Amino acid sequence: MNKKKFILFPLLAFVLSSCLFDTDDEGLSNWLSDQGMPSSYKVQTVTVSDLNPLSAEVYRDTLPKSAWRRGVFGAANSISYDAVLDFALDSAYLDTLTSSDSAKSSLSLVLLDSYYDDYYVPSNFFPIKEDLQLNVSWILSEKLSKSEFDTLGNASSDSAWSHELESWNAKSSADTMISVSLDKKDTLLLTLGMPKALVDELHKTKGNRRLQLRLSAPNAKRIYRFYGAGSATLYPQLVLVAQGKKDYPKSYQPTRAVNIYSSHETCSDCLVMHGGGYDSLLVEFPSKPILKALSDFYGDEFPYTVGDSNDVRQAVVMAIITFSRDDSKGSQEISLPIFMQAGTYLDSADTSVLYWESFTSKMNKSKIELVGHPNVVFYPGDSLSLQVTYGMRDFINRASDGRTFKMAIRFNHSLIFDKETSLYDHSVDQADTIKLANGDSIIVAKGDSLQVIKSDVDYARYDFSTIKSKPATLKLWLASKRGEE
């Protein structure tokens, strides 16, 4: 994936927040105190307009991802997703299967109720009806020793196995048609009949074996989300039935599972990102216009080049960069605004470290309640505002060496209530009819708990090519202590 060496800080959790700082005197004084800065510092703003990027590129991570709790297969928005399940089949049952007159098998997938059953699913989402063309490919191992089998049976999500799957080399595969018909009142269970060729191969197999099973549906109309390998009793189950004097049904759960995805984008120069697949958009800005704006503002040399070259006379209280955006080229599964996550690059022991911004600033609640959050896409408006506070703070103090300012952008979760300023699940104080961001309304009773952020990501597609053609605007809030001030 990466063309440069980046290291991710493991301990910094991303906290959703909005990007506007309310500079009332009391609030500002408290904030400065919390940051360890004297409340006597002045806070002033500097705006850098017409900021054009030096480069912008999408980095796509196509490595298999664990489906330990949540799996997907199907297709959405120019990406197809395969599910690979790893089963341990014991010798006692396969011996029974071998001696039977005939055999059949199916795979049962329980769809995620957190996605399909919640109130934020649009009213027109169900029923789901589709004739699904499913490709099933498989790798059946040679006979395993007891120790090999026990090790496999105890496996969980395994990164080494995930890397092996990059070169999937199945000797057997078959296509089958599945008729899908689901309604919200259903149990949300998909039962996929396995191809006869797989059943026949299992039917003549003896001894402990490992079965790796891959499900592909590149022409599906949607993504199907199901409980992965590590979800209590809701994991996928391969059901094998031996038929002779009596039926001998037995089900197996996978020991582990991963998702593999493939891009079908045709525009190599477009800045197209996909949700759910760990795409990152890296944007790099020149230092000169930022430093010139600071020099003009302060009326002296910037950056400061005395001593260790760290200009401690100002601190970045807040930094917000605003891009133009155009939702018309995007597409998504559910019509909800999607938060965009910003990360910036900090210098750490001469290594460029990616720091996903964790916002502790105050929201401008009145503005959010009026016009909504500024750091979302698929929402009325033509701009996207993201905080880059930590990265800009580091950049200003180190820019004397000629470095550029770099940031990364990713999809995060969707916002169910577009003008909600409490971004955590909470109960309501009184009964009411509340409008969701997708236009639907729900009736809530006093004490009902509201989920504000959607727990499952949207496998959306978004074209950020406007970043290359329309300049961004950077706004800095600076707490300054310069000269005798």
Side-chain angles (χ1 to χ4, degrees):
M1 167 190 164
N2 292 337
K3 299 182 180 180
K4 300 180 179 68
K5 183 181 179 182
F6 300 137
I7 298 175
L8 178 65
F9 268 166
L11 300 178
L12 299 175
F14 172 70
V15 179
L16 289 172
S17 179
S18 291
C19 306
L20 296 176
F21 187 75
D22 182 4
T23 55
D24 64 277
D25 291 341
E26 182 179 355
L28 177 58
S29 177
N30 292 337
W31 193 93
L32 291 171
S33 177
D34 290 342
Q35 300 299 308
M37 291 182 283
S39 59
S40 59
Y41 277 22
K42 290 182 179 180
V43 173
Q44 299 169 290
T45 61
V46 176
T47 299
V48 186
S49 302
D50 298 327
L51 191 57
N52 293 293
L54 291 171
S55 64
E57 186 173 358
V58 171
Y59 288 80
R60 180 155 295 126
D61 185 357
T62 57
L63 293 176
K65 296 295 183 295
S66 172
W68 185 238
R69 293 193 178 277
R70 300 181 182 190
V72 296
F73 80 96
N77 300 318
S78 302
I79 300 287
S80 60
Y81 300 83
D82 298 352
V84 184
L85 310 173
D86 197 9
F87 293 92
L89 307 181
D90 64 73
S91 60
Y93 179 68
L94 287 176
D95 287 345
T96 302
L97 191 67
T98 302
S99 62
S100 68
D101 295 334
S102 62
K104 62 182 180 180
S105 71
S106 61
L107 183 69
S108 297
L109 302 178
V110 181
L111 300 187
L112 278 174
D113 55 10
S114 63
Y115 181 81
Y116 294 95
D117 286 348
D118 279 357
Y119 53 76
Y120 53 74
V121 173
S123 55
N124 62 352
F125 189 79
F126 289 99
I128 296 173
K129 292 186 177 181
E130 177 176 9
D131 290 328
L132 184 67
Q133 182 175 337
L134 183 69
N135 176 266
V136 182
S137 56
W138 62 91
I139 301 173
L140 188 62
S141 74
E142 298 297 324
K143 185 176 180 180
L144 300 175
S145 68
K146 185 178 185 305
S147 61
E148 291 173 328
F149 183 78
D150 290 344
T151 300
L152 178 64
N154 293 329
S156 61
S157 184
D158 185 341
S159 59
W161 177 60
S162 297
H163 283 276
E164 291 174 9
L165 294 177
E166 292 183 70
S167 56
W168 175 260
N169 187 23
K171 295 181 180 179
S172 305
S173 66
D175 290 326
T176 186
M177 292 293 295
I178 306 296
S179 181
V180 177
S181 181
L182 293 169
D183 209 332
K184 193 167 185 176
K185 64 179 182 295
D186 293 337
T187 57
L188 297 176
L189 177 68
L190 280 181
T191 300
L192 310 177
M194 293 292 97
K196 184 177 184 299
L198 170 60
V199 177
D200 289 345
E201 188 170 354
L202 293 174
H203 193 201
K204 62 185 179 183
T205 297
K206 292 186 176 182
N208 296 326
R209 300 296 178 109
R210 174 189 186 184
L211 173 65
Q212 298 176 76
L213 194 66
R214 181 167 181 165
L215 307 178
S216 304
N219 297 315
K221 297 177 182 178
R222 66 180 65 239
I223 289 287
Y224 289 93
R225 295 165 165 83
F226 60 91
Y227 285 93
S231 301
T233 59
L234 299 175
Y235 40 69
Q237 297 183 61
L238 177 69
V239 179
L240 301 174
V241 179
Q243 293 179 318
K245 293 181 180 179
K246 63 179 181 178
D247 289 350
Y248 190 97
K250 184 161 184 177
S251 62
Y252 290 86
Q253 71 179 84
T255 59
R256 52 192 173 180
V258 296
N259 299 316
I260 299 175
Y261 85 100
S262 304
S263 173
H264 305 289
E265 292 292 346
T266 57
C267 180
S268 58
D269 296 329
C270 299
L271 298 179
V272 176
M273 293 178 62
H274 298 89
Y278 297 98
D279 286 1
S280 296
L281 171 60
L282 177 62
V283 186
E284 186 174 11
F285 290 101
S287 60
K288 186 175 179 179
I290 301 172
L291 300 183
K292 182 179 184 303
L294 290 168
S295 294
D296 292 345
F297 177 75
Y298 287 121
D300 58 16
E301 180 185 6
F302 199 94
Y304 191 58
T305 56
V306 177
D308 63 3
S309 298
N310 286 329
D311 193 338
V312 297
R313 296 175 296 169
Q314 79 290 309
V316 177
V317 173
M318 178 76 69
I320 295 175
I321 192 161
T322 300
F323 297 100
S324 296
R325 65 175 174 90
D326 180 2
D327 292 350
S328 65
K329 295 182 180 180
S331 52
Q332 59 182 149
E333 296 177 283
I334 289 184
S335 299
L336 289 174
I338 301 177
F339 277 106
M340 300 307 297
Q341 180 178 4
T344 48
Y345 290 86
L346 312 184
D347 187 283
S348 177
D350 296 323
T351 302
S352 187
V353 179
L354 178 57
Y355 185 121
W356 292 104
E357 295 273 339
S358 178
F359 300 128
T360 57
S361 60
K362 294 176 62 181
M363 295 185 193
N364 189 329
K365 294 185 178 182
S366 60
K367 188 168 184 179
I368 292 170
E369 291 169 352
L370 181 64
V371 299
H373 292 262
N375 51 344
V376 296
V377 295
F378 297 110
Y379 195 70
D382 58 3
S383 65
L384 172 69
S385 294
L386 301 169
Q387 281 197 35
V388 290
T389 304
Y390 295 105
M392 187 55 61
R393 186 178 297 161
D394 182 79
F395 166 78
I396 285 178
N397 280 334
R398 300 178 186 272
S400 58
D401 64 6
R403 69 183 60 207
T404 58
F405 177 70
K406 295 186 296 184
M407 65 176 294
I409 304 172
R410 277 185 181 175
F411 280 103
N412 206 273
H413 290 260
S414 301
L415 182 63
I416 300 171
F417 300 103
D418 54 337
K419 297 178 181 179
E420 175 64 65
T421 57
S422 173
L423 298 177
Y424 300 93
D425 297 356
H426 61 276
S427 59
V428 296
D429 296 330
Q430 60 184 15
D432 198 359
T433 298
I434 303 179
K435 186 177 181 180
L436 280 61
N438 62 18
D440 288 349
S441 296
I442 61 170
I443 300 174
V444 297
K446 181 178 180 180
D448 281 355
S449 179
L450 290 182
Q451 181 184 349
V452 182
I453 305 297
K454 194 160 76 74
S455 57
D456 294 287
V457 297
D458 191 330
Y459 287 76
R461 177 189 185 276
Y462 202 91
D463 190 341
F464 275 104
S465 297
T466 54
I467 286 177
K468 295 188 293 185
S469 59
K470 296 184 178 181
T473 298
L474 173 66
K475 187 171 182 179
L476 302 173
W477 283 257
L478 301 170
S480 301
K481 186 73 172 180
R482 303 178 70 85
E484 296 302 320
E485 295 179 354

